[in-house]
């Protein structure tokens, strides 16, 4: 496919995966048109492109890409602009790819961490939701687990920046690791995460990448207002007390889940 | 890193992601040593390699790879053996990568479909589990949703084989798409999915790839016995009646979830 074939992005504003692909398009300086997908009522055109009905979908000429990470790699290999995956050193490349994929464990699809809050305001589920006054006094163990997971996971990223010196998430250059991780971070900040105190490197990183021209160009309008169901995520409460060595702590509430060993990517701990 | 540096795989037998990486190692003809990770009690050595405590982890010389999909791409680019990602045609490459990533939506991590059954025998959760006789008569709506999702998702893969003629999941050559999808399929077959009737192409595909020498070399011993909590997954019951056009059907039980638009990879439907 040539660089001149038309590029169309089917996306939903505020979807983390959509934002990832939008940033790639901007960084590569690609001309593209956009079509907003109504997630509650996707068009026939969109359903035909993507039977799974998941945004984003990228079309380049007649070639349709349904998986946004594959689309990221495709755009990298097909277009010029900012180099987002190093191709001169296999260990640098592998580091970028690892962080690109790791970021998805926080924020994409029905994975543990962000999905908890994504379902938080589910009206059908009486156990959840801030309006459930009766249970206000009791802490929801699922919510506590999700917050602890998120606190620990974000500390891993804080450590990347701290130990490796940044300024970007896989080193000195802005890369596909940032394109993949930043939208997740921006989403949790919008949800109420305040990195300033316990995550100073993530805080500086967030501010710097948010102000990047290509990111501003595609910033979701809704994210300029507070999230309607904003929760204040004081995640430092969920970190180990020993702040000298803020490694993820061993869980006391290991529930011995996932006995079926075939379960996907094996988690050594029984995380939900 | 040279091909002669030592390769070590930290894995758990029967973990889908571990099996994926094992097949890559076999296909590439790489010499490697293995270390089994006790998922309930990971060693200090393993925790140091991987703070997230997730298997598999690959070590090549001093270089540690924590994300198995990044490790797949790294091995492809570093070693010879079977070519698993086409590098002569960007659209073929992108197709392989898409299917590689799509396969994860079924089976890896805490994603919708396999995670339902992975938690199925959770003793802490009284709503689940075949031993919960009292609720035997009532259908668990979550279970019904998960089975419908799985039935529809697997039909998408059946269609790939049917429409494109196979014999492999991204065309004529065995590729990283197969390495990624087959372990997921093998896992659901072990769980009780019987593809023979409604998924004839998947059935043939399963039998052929299962008998592949490299796959047999790393086949989990446990999978030769029936899964202890085996459920008979008669998924054809969950497919649309119109078998002429077995596309995923629109759901009537759209719960309007995921109102927080930032939720990861946007699903156009309100899937759980």
């Amino acid at each position: 496919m040539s660089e001149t074939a038309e590029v169309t992005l089917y996306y939903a504003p505020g979807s983390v995966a959509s934002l990832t692909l939008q940033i790639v398009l901007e960084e590569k300086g690609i001309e593209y048109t956009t079509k907003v997908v109504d997630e509650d009522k996707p068009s026939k055109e969109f359903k035909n492109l993507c039977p799974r009905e998941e945004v984003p979908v990228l079309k380049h000429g007649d070639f349709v890409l349904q998986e946004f990470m594959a689309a990221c790699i495709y755009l990298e290999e097909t277009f010029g602009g900012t180099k987002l995956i190093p191709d001169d050193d296999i260990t640098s490349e592998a580091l970028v790819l690892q962080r690109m994929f790791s970021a998805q464990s926080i924020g994409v699809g029905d994975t543990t961490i962000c999905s908890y809050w994504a379902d938080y305001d589910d009206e059908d589920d009486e156990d959840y939701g801030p309006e459930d006054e009766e249970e206000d006094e009791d802490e929801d163990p699922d919510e506590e687990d999700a917050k602890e997971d998120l606190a620990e996971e974000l500390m891993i990223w804080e450590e990347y920046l701290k130990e490796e010196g940044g300024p970007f998430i896989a080193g000195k250059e802005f890369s596909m690791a940032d394109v993949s991780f930043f939208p997740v971070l921006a989403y949790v900040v919008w949800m109420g995460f305040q990195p300033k105190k316990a995550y100073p490197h993530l805080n500086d990183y967030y501010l710097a990448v948010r102000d990047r021209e290509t990111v501003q160009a595609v910033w979701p309008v809704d994210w300029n207002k507070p999230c309607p169901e904003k929760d204040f995520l004081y995640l430092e409460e969920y970190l180990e007390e020993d702040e000298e060595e803020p490694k993820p702590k061993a869980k006391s509430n290991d529930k011995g889940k996932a006995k079926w060993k075939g379960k996907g990517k094996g988690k050594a701990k029984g995380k939900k």
Side-chain angles (χ1 to χ4, degrees), chain A residues 30-87:
Chain A
I30 298 167
E31 279 189 37
Y32 62 104
T33 55
T34 54
K35 296 202 179 184
V36 173
V37 176
D38 179 346
E39 295 182 90
D40 294 325
K41 211 180 162 185
S43 65
K44 273 209 164 165
E45 177 193 357
F46 182 71
K47 285 187 196 175
N48 285 337
L49 285 180
C50 182
R52 290 186 186 88
E53 301 179 22
E54 288 174 354
V55 288
V57 167
L58 187 80
K59 208 162 162 250
H60 182 208
D62 293 328
F63 190 56
V64 178
L65 286 122
Q66 296 173 354
E67 288 288 327
F68 79 103
M69 288 194 296
C72 286
I73 295 173
Y74 173 84
L75 291 174
E76 173 70 10
E77 296 191 6
T78 309
F79 291 88
T82 312
K83 180 153 262 326
L84 294 170
I85 302 176
D87 60 3

